[in-house]
Structure formats: structure tokens, C-alpha cells
Amino acid sequence: MNETHQLAVRVENVVKSFTGGDSRVFALKGASLEARFGEILMIVGPSGCGKTTLLSVICGTLKFEEGNITVFDKDLGKMRSGEITRFRRENIGFIFQQFNLIPTLTAVENVSIPLILQGKSTAEAERRSRTILEQVGLSDKFKSFPHQLSGGQQQRVAISRALVHEPRLIICDEPTAALDSVSGHKTLELLKASALKPDRCVIIVTHDSRIYEFADRIVQMDDGHVVGHFKDHTQINHA
Ligand SMILES: Nc1ncnc2c1ncn2[C@@H]1O[C@H](COP(=O)(O)OP(=O)(O)O)[C@@H](O)[C@H]1O
Ligand SMILES: [Mg+2]
């Protein structure tokens, strides 16, 4: 494989602003980064520096104004929005800080959502959901609703939902922020074991220095820019 094929995501000089009333906020001011296959890339930086915006432009839920983004071999700037939506459903899994489970659906039904969106039958979706929930140790919680689960268990359901359709890119926004440190650690161990394969890439935005040790590489953001690249957490203990 040559250099470009090892890249899962390439972000080059991306600019994104938000307009509200007569003011304009630049959330990304020329941000660049690369994420490789087979790695956990962490993005760290202070609140408001543009981390969530960067994840949103990478997964195509927000449009950007300048620069280039390539995810696998796709140039997002050249895709129509319907095409991006289909690409995202096939290729990207998401994990959020607040888990974002649907309160009226059981664990199995929540995990089934990405497969249902892809047009799979309910029977197939639920069969695959049960398999992955077993793998994360929740075989006794198939029919539980989110409010009947602990935070750590809810995040395991969310991880299952992010991975059930075997996406190549897993995007996590502050996945451990609402968890105690033991559950946070377990979440990362599970992500590393089940999400990270040679043909996959995991990008995690986090404030949580307790999980930095799981990163293969860390990029630091500040004020809409990527300002530093680190091989491991010992270099950013001040961050
Ligand atoms: N939908 C939006 N409308 C207006 N401003 C926004 C919006 N989303 C983010 N911003 C602004 O963009 C900047 C970066 O936000 P964000 O990407 O959420 O930062 P982070 O995730 O690092 O905390 C902040 O100044 C924020 O207020
Ligand atoms: Mg954020």
C-alpha cells in the first residue's frame, strides 16, 4: 500500500463558519489533519475550539466553505447531499457523549437502527443486533429500555449501534465524558477491541485525559486550527 491508501481521512485547510444575525463565527479556520487506517486518532483541545464542527464536516452532516476533505477515496466536496447521506449510512458509525439512545426503543431496537436505515429487514437487523450486544456483554439486556441501564451499559448499547453495520470509520464525540473512570476505561477497551481493525479508523474527540493512553496519535486543536501532533499522551500532559 502506498501512503495515500493508508489514509482513511484527509482534511486540508478546511474553513467553516456559522452566521447568526449580523455576526459570523469561524469555527474552523483552515484546519488540517490525517487519520490512518488501523489507528485511534484523538482530537483534543479546549471547549469551543471547533472539535465537534470538525467531526461534523468529516461525516458530511455539515457543509464546509473552503478546503478539501477526503474520506476513503471519496472527495466530500464533490458529492451531492443524497450521495453523502448514503455514503455515511454505509461507512460511518457514531458514538456521542450523551449516548443518544431513543428512550422508547429497547436495546435491540436501538442497535438495529443503522441496519433498518440501510433497508435491512427487521428480523435480520434484530438478529445482528443481538449478536453484537452479546459480544459487549449485554445478552441479558436485549429488551431493556435505556432508562433501565447504567451509563456504562447505555454506552455499550451505543457502541453496538455504532458498529452493527460494520462501518470503516467510527467517529466518537466525547464518548466517556458522562462516565465514571472505570466505565470510561471499559468503553475505550471495548472500542479498541471491537472497532479497530486494519481496514478501519477510529477518531475520538475528547477532553478526558484519562483515556489519552488509548490513542495511537493525538492532534491538538485551538481556535479553529490543528496546532499540534503528538505520538502519545505523555507529550500533552499539560493539555
Ligand atoms: N450551529 C452553530 N451555530 C453557530 N455557532 C456554532 C454552531 N456550532 C458551533 N458553533 C460555534 O463554533 C465554535 C466551535 O464549536 P464546536 O465545534 O462545537 O467546539 P467544540 O466541540 O470544540 O467545543 C464555537 O464558537 C461555537 O459557538
Ligand atoms: Mg464539542
Side-chain angles (χ1 to χ4, degrees):
M1 274 201 299
N2 65 32
E3 181 74 13
T4 42
H5 284 133
Q6 291 172 13
L7 285 185
V9 177
R10 182 201 290 269
V11 175
E12 291 172 301
N13 302 318
V14 166
V15 174
K16 169 69 194 173
S17 65
F18 296 101
T19 1
D22 48 7
S23 68
R24 192 165 176 204
V25 177
F26 280 86
L28 299 176
K29 303 177 178 177
S32 300
L33 64 75
E34 294 179 343
R36 302 169 189 154
F37 285 110
E39 79 173 357
I40 293 184
L41 177 72
M42 282 191 195
I43 301 173
V44 305
S47 184
C49 73
K51 303 182 300 296
T52 295
T53 305
L54 183 59
L55 291 184
S56 304
V57 293
I58 289 172
C59 65
T61 50
L62 271 184
K63 288 204 174 300
F64 52 98
E65 291 136 46
E66 286 176 39
N68 292 298
I69 301 181
T70 312
V71 181
F72 312 126
D73 53 343
K74 298 282 188 186
D75 182 343
L76 294 193
K78 293 192 175 141
M79 291 164 78
R80 292 167 184 276
S81 65
E83 212 182 335
I84 292 180
T85 302
R86 277 193 302 279
F87 180 73
R88 184 166 57 241
R89 283 179 185 166
E90 292 294 327
N91 293 289
I92 305 182
F94 301 91
I95 298 170
F96 305 96
Q97 173 177 349
Q98 297 301 339
F99 323 134
N100 290 12
L101 299 176
I102 297 181
T104 54
L105 298 183
T106 64
V108 164
E109 289 164 347
N110 266 286
V111 175
S112 297
I113 293 169
L115 296 170
I116 301 289
L117 287 174
Q118 285 182 355
K120 303 286 189 292
S121 70
T122 306
E124 182 189 347
E126 295 198 350
R127 182 180 54 74
R128 286 172 61 179
S129 299
R130 285 191 295 270
T131 303
I132 194 159
L133 283 167
E134 273 166 18
Q135 287 164 6
V136 302
L138 292 178
S139 48
D140 55 341
K141 304 292 181 191
F142 290 166
K143 293 188 174 165
S144 299
F145 291 93
H147 75 271
Q148 298 170 317
L149 301 170
S150 71
Q153 288 168 340
Q154 289 183 50
Q155 194 58 306
R156 278 190 273 162
V157 174
I159 290 173
S160 304
R161 182 183 55 188
L163 300 180
V164 72
H165 56 309
E166 303 195 335
R168 290 187 286 165
L169 177 61
I170 295 96
I171 298 260
C172 315
D173 197 353
E174 314 257 9
T176 61
L179 298 175
D180 61 72
S181 79
V182 173
S183 306
H185 223 262
K186 280 189 182 151
T187 294
L188 260 289
E189 278 170 2
L190 201 57
L191 259 179
K192 187 151 197 158
S194 45
L196 199 61
K197 308 274 155 65
D199 60 343
R200 295 194 193 178
C201 173
V202 181
I203 300 179
I204 302 176
V205 155
T206 187
H207 262 114
D208 183 356
S209 58
R210 299 170 305 187
I211 64 167
Y212 287 174
E213 63 186 280
F214 287 92
D216 294 301
R217 283 189 312 123
I218 300 178
V219 299
Q220 190 168 10
M221 286 187 73
D222 194 22
D223 193 24
H225 295 277
V226 172
V227 293
H229 296 258
F230 305 101
K231 280 209 176 103
D232 70 69
H233 66 290
T234 59
Q235 299 174 307
I236 53 151
N237 278 339
H238 61 280

